[in-house]
Amino acid sequence: MKHFILVPDGAADWANPALGGKTPLQAAELANINALAAVSEVGSVQTIPDGIDPGSDAANIAILGYNPKTVLTGRAPLEAAAMGIPMREGETAFRASLVTLEGNGAYEDLLVKDHSAGDINDEDARSVITRIDRELGSENLRFYPGVSYRCLMIAKRINAEEKITPPHDILGRRVGDYLPAEPEIRRLMERGYAILKDGETAANAIWLWGQGKKPSLPPLSERYGVKGCMVAAVNLLKGIGRCAGLTCPDIPGATGTLHTNYGAKAECAVSAFREGADFVFLHVEAPDECAHSGDMDGKLRSLKHIDQEVLLPVLTYLKNSGNPFRILILPDHRTPLELRTHTSEPVPFLLYDSKNPLPPDGSRVFSEVCGERGAFLPSGEALADRFFGGSQG
Ligand SMILES: [Zn+2]
């Protein structure tokens, strides 16, 4: 049995007046996904447990069947794992996001303009973070480049207990209202701005958040008996994959944006299956990024790309391979365009089993509304148990 999970990040949304009251999933062209929905179970699942912030880290860990409440310590250590950055005993990893602040007053009165520094490219990001490391780094404090704006800081002896608001949640808001209480972290952020404010890129500051110690996830091979592969552009997902014992190949042209190389991701999934993987987890960041930017058209286009350039080739391969297979499609969480940030509400899922397809029903589509009409599963773990259950060997 082959297993394929497809996660269009943040695709679930709310009914939107600009779409005639439809959600983006309802409004997007999803011919292939909806043809599959007609013969699949469509339900909804609570990926984000009560009391946990609706981050992609918690949500994707849940989709893999782990309980975010017990294994999650923050997204930065997962990204460090993805990048092969060693973390020593007692160290804490922070996301050092490259951001754009705007305004002319004191640091605290500036506004958060862009959480991605204009989707800064890897090369510029590397030169910016290298400069930060040169000025602020020490034996106990190191900065590393990541994908685009997603850089990292590894720190020793810093009080990192508090939760710091992610920059994508405070677009247009005043910096001073969201700075962490810990003076050392505040100092580093303010120094970052002093160093970068007159630079040549849109990255004029760093925002430290998402910190944690290294997590331990029991491998999926032990848990569900599957050998698998994580196909993702962003380091957060690669880190989750590595920690769960999945291989995480680099994919040419996969950027985590609307302009990612969708076809290359599908090819990577197909190669992994061909080379013997039982399980592929394919994550596409684009719908979430578009929703954070309030880009409705981009969100719709990214969903169409996923339908045509990701699902279709993988589904075609699986159908032709002769092996029985299951496909699970679900967003990790909702990112309503209206809010431009994540929510904790349940998300729709689509579960197809080639051995037990449901009788065709054209009214069953992949949408929030259809999901609510179907089965409700209380956790990612319940869904993973159902998806992997009874199919080993
Ligand atoms: Zn997400």
Side-chain angles (χ1 to χ4, degrees), residues 107-108 176 179-191 208:
Y107 173 67
E108 304 196 345
L179 286 173
E182 169 57 40
E184 178 60 7
I185 307 175
R186 285 174 86 115
R187 187 188 72 84
L188 290 167
M189 288 165 74
E190 187 162 0
R191 285 285 318 277
L208 301 170

Side-chain angles (χ1 to χ4, degrees), residues 234-366:
V234 293
N235 277 330
L236 172 65
L237 269 291
K238 288 187 183 175
I240 292 173
R242 279 223 174 108
C243 291
L246 304 174
T247 58
C248 303
D250 284 322
I251 303 140
T255 56
T257 72
L258 175 59
H259 310 292
T260 195
N261 191 339
Y262 299 89
K265 285 193 164 174
E267 272 172 38
C268 185
V270 167
S271 315
F273 281 129
R274 244 190 219 122
E275 285 157 20
D278 316 296
F279 166 51
V280 173
F281 187 113
L282 194 157
H283 171 269
V284 184
E285 177 85 347
D288 184 63
E289 283 295 309
C290 293
H292 283 304
S293 326
D295 177 3
M296 175 180 299
D297 180 55
K299 190 168 188 181
L300 295 175
R301 277 192 292 145
S302 69
L303 293 170
K304 184 177 171 185
H305 285 303
I306 291 167
D307 181 76
Q308 296 183 350
E309 294 163 48
V310 180
L311 177 69
L312 182 61
V314 177
L315 177 62
T316 306
Y317 166 77
L318 288 170
K319 275 183 179 163
N320 294 336
S321 72
N323 288 306
F325 61 94
R326 287 183 186 163
I327 293 181
L328 176 62
I329 305 177
L330 77 164
D332 48 349
H333 51 73
R334 298 192 192 211
T335 310
L337 282 157
E338 204 176 308
L339 286 187
R340 296 176 61 176
T341 188
H342 308 176
T343 70
S344 302
E345 302 147 284
V347 294
F349 72 83
L350 175 167
L351 202 171
Y352 175 74
D353 184 342
S354 71
K355 287 213 280 202
N356 294 297
L358 296 191
D361 174 356
S363 72
R364 197 164 49 231
V365 293
F366 183 55

